Amino acid sequence: QLQLVESGGGLVQPGGSLRLSCVASGFTLDQYAIGWFRQAPGKGREGVSCISNDGTNTHHAASVKGRFTISRDDAKNTVYLQMSGLKPEDTAVYYCATVTCNRRVPGGPWADFGIWGQGTQVTVSS
């Protein structure tokens, strides 16, 4: 019943851009901080970007800092990840999840509350 659905992935050339969407159903998204994660082939899950429930605080992994922007539109029950300057190493399945997005709590900003989407594939290749 509580569900997050990601979309917007695809094939893009190095240096290109994509915007991913994370849409919530079954609950009110404006009460939750949301994080984007990714898992590349043969690698573990990596926290990428997150945004607090009120949109005032964000965190980004060093690998995407300056290239990715996270935002939310609670009227549409949606969180976005705008990805620019994409590199081949950004290739991964991207997931969204409810998280703390707070570096001062146990587990840090990437600790999740158990609601995950199914993922959307991003492939960066020429």
Side-chain angles (χ1 to χ4, degrees):
Q1 293 182 359
L2 276 57
Q3 187 175 358
L4 296 170
V5 178
E6 303 94 337
S7 63
L11 176 64
V12 64
Q13 295 184 352
S17 299
L18 284 173
R19 188 179 74 163
L20 306 183
S21 298
C22 173
V23 181
S25 63
F27 66 101
T28 302
L29 190 59
D30 63 5
Q31 299 181 8
Y32 292 86
I34 298 294
W36 283 96
F37 299 79
R38 66 187 182 186
Q39 187 165 14
K43 297 184 178 180
R45 185 185 67 186
E46 175 190 16
V48 176
S49 301
C50 66
I51 186 167
S52 61
N53 67 315
D54 61 6
T56 61
N57 292 292
T58 61
H59 298 282
H60 304 279
S63 58
V64 307
K65 188 177 180 180
R67 299 189 296 120
F68 290 12
T69 300
I70 189 168
S71 62
R72 64 190 304 149
D73 185 345
D74 290 336
K76 298 181 178 179
N77 227 26
T78 301
V79 171
Y80 303 99
L81 184 67
Q82 178 66 50
M83 306 185 296
S84 300
L86 285 164
K87 305 174 180 179
E89 50 263 45
D90 294 318
T91 295
V93 178
Y94 284 72
Y95 303 88
C96 61
T98 54
V99 298
T100 68
C101 203
N102 187 339
R103 67 175 71 245
R104 300 180 65 183
V105 302
W110 311 114
D112 74 88
F113 297 123
I115 305 176
W116 288 80
Q118 84 292 339
T120 185
Q121 176 70 48
V122 172
T123 302
V124 184
S125 177
S126 60

